Amino acid sequence: MCAMPRVSEAHLAARRQQILDAARRCFMRDGFHNTSMQDVIAEAGLSVGAVYRYFKSKNDLITAIAESVIGDASTMFEELARHEPPLSPTEAVERAVTFVERETGPDGLLRIALQVWAEAMRDPALAEFVGNAYSRMRGHFVHLATRARDAGQLPADADVEAIGAVLFGMVPGYALQRMLSNGPDAKTYAAGLRTLVP
Amino acid sequence: MCAMPRVSEAHLAARRQQILDAARRCFMRDGFHNTSMQDVIAEAGLSVGAVYRYFKSKNDLITAIAESVIGDASTMFEELARHEPPLSPTEAVERAVTFVERETGPDGLLRIALQVWAEAMRDPALAEFVGNAYSRMRGHFVHLATRARDAGQLPADADVEAIGAVLFGMVPGYALQRMLSNGPDAKTYAAGLRTLVP
DNA sequence: CCTTAAAACGAATGCTCGTTCTTCTTTGAC
DNA sequence: GTCAAAGAAGAACGAGCATTCGTTTTAAGG
């Protein structure tokens, strides 16, 4: 006898991803709360039961999408931090802003990120996850600021935590401008930054 | 005969405000989409019919709250722009950030602003309103940048639009950090800004 | 005090939602 | 081929939603 799974691991993972992809499209289009489970189910081309096998509630689905979006952003910031040769703080912001510009389009990550931010105000578990992720991202900029200070590009007594926060803040600040008003493109923004921060 | 109103103008305005206040509290607590009309009605201590006399739909109520929140922020930025003697760009950001710190608390304006941003992704009418308001706010910083350039504090060929955008972006950027992670307080942030932008 | 229309009320409505549950199908080991 | 367990399906359900509407209350002009 045996209790082996009836389908391959790969099949299960693919199905799960199929649902996640559908949910992402729906959430991008209508936001978390104007998307019904029926919408996701139809978009995935599956049945109610199938979807509920993989995600036990709508909130589970929202959380999964939120974590994947925040995870993607984290990855980007980590790559900036790991870059060789090390980037100057300004260069790092410039690259982040370029990424943001790409992802603020009609089907960009940041449209969902905005939903996640709003959702985090109501869901403490999500708030903690987002808070940790954003602290880590800010940490990368603090690290860059530290390096710049040690290289003499900043005063020796500079508060690297504060400077890291300012640098990091510019990125979502730019994202909001892009999504809400018709702010400047990444290149222009970067030029402005370089004028302001010598 | 006559068709005079049965109650005073002031009474009508007060009732309307009573509903708006209740809605603001509810929306702050649960967000737009997890607040039911029943919640607002109960919070206002009125009847269904009374509320629907003043706001013909939930969306009307959301729009009214959104416009009032954005309006409050606009007022703040206008005061910064009008300040005498004129503020330097850095000073203006510092003051804006102090305002933000005050309004990111559990019952601060910015918690609703975050909801509004997310809502604007779905509601074109709201998107236009928010977009215009934010363009105007950015404009104030562009104006400050222009003045700084003309005073020789910035290169003569500086792109004031871009610099204004960078300055303005720092404000929502700081707001997000405060609301989502435990970012630095306004004073620390301002100090970081001053170190970075001489 | 009576009339009248605005204002407030709240039961009722119809619909949509997230979720459950029973049934049918597929799968892979034997 | 057979069987048992897992996967998929989708009808059904109850709760909760925004909104409507017929009724009652209120307040001011005559």
Side-chain angles (χ1 to χ4, degrees), chain A residues 40-81:
Chain A
V40 176
I41 287 157
E43 180 83 25
L46 290 172
S47 66
V48 184
V51 169
Y52 271 88
R53 177 165 308 284
Y54 292 87
F55 297 92
K56 77 172 207 296
S57 71
K58 184 180 181 182
N59 213 63
D60 256 40
L61 199 45
I62 291 178
T63 303
I65 292 289
E67 298 192 347
S68 110
V69 167
I70 302 295
D72 286 359
S74 283
T75 303
M76 191 274 292
F77 280 103
E78 243 142 61
E79 280 168 11
L80 283 186

Side-chain angles (χ1 to χ4, degrees), chain B residues 24 28 65 68-73 76 99-100 102-116 179:
Chain B
R24 194 182 270 231
M28 196 111 61
I65 291 290
S68 109
V69 167
I70 303 295
D72 286 359
M76 192 273 292
F99 171 82
V100 163
R102 222 174 27 242
E103 295 293 342
T104 42
D107 55 349
L109 277 184
L110 274 148
R111 288 184 105 79
I112 297 189
L114 186 42
Q115 304 278 336
V116 173
M179 289 191 284

Side-chain angles (χ1 to χ4, degrees), chain A:
Chain A
M1 76 127 310
C2 70
M4 283 196 60
R6 290 293 154 151
V7 295
S8 69
E9 205 69 31
H11 173 88
L12 291 174
R15 265 285 200 279
R16 198 186 145 86
Q17 196 55 50
Q18 176 182 357
I19 295 166
L20 284 172
D21 289 346
R24 196 183 268 232
R25 283 193 296 274
C26 289
F27 291 157
M28 197 110 63
R29 197 190 313 123
D30 300 320
F32 292 148
H33 297 290
N34 281 59
T35 298
S36 69
M37 285 302 271
Q38 293 297 340
D39 292 340
V40 176
I41 287 157
E43 180 83 25
L46 290 172
S47 66
V48 184
V51 169
Y52 271 88
R53 177 165 308 284
Y54 292 87
F55 297 92
K56 77 172 207 296
S57 71
K58 184 180 181 182
N59 213 63
D60 256 40
L61 199 45
I62 291 178
T63 303
I65 292 289
E67 298 192 347
S68 110
V69 167
I70 302 295
D72 286 359
S74 283
T75 303
M76 191 274 292
F77 280 103
E78 243 142 61
E79 280 168 11
L80 283 186
R82 250 201 279 284
H83 193 275
E84 283 299 332
L87 299 168
S88 76
T90 328
E91 274 171 345
V93 174
E94 282 181 35
R95 282 175 191 243
V97 159
T98 304
F99 170 82
V100 163
E101 185 182 46
R102 220 171 32 240
E103 297 293 343
T104 41
D107 55 348
L109 277 185
L110 274 148
R111 287 180 109 64
I112 297 190
L114 187 42
Q115 303 279 335
V116 173
W117 299 338
E119 191 66 11
M121 297 285 96
R122 300 194 318 99
D123 179 340
L126 189 57
E128 200 193 323
F129 178 83
V130 173
N132 288 337
Y134 281 47
S135 293
R136 234 174 301 121
M137 296 183 201
R138 183 173 50 231
H140 293 139
F141 280 97
V142 172
H143 184 69
L144 294 177
T146 309
R147 194 148 50 196
R149 184 196 57 187
D150 295 347
Q153 289 152 11
L154 287 171
D157 65 342
D159 180 345
V160 288
E161 292 284 341
I163 292 171
V166 173
L167 291 166
F168 173 58
M170 286 175 180
V171 182
Y174 174 69
L176 280 174
Q177 285 190 69
R178 278 302 274 188
M179 290 192 282
L180 298 173
S181 62
N182 39 5
D185 62 26
K187 243 180 138 146
T188 307
Y189 197 83
L193 174 61
R194 239 176 294 116
T195 310
L196 210 53
V197 181

Side-chain angles (χ1 to χ4, degrees), chain B residues 89 142-160 163:
Chain B
V142 172
H143 183 68
L144 293 176
T146 309
R147 194 149 49 195
R149 184 196 58 188
D150 295 347
Q153 290 152 7
L154 288 171
D157 65 343
D159 182 343
V160 288
I163 292 171

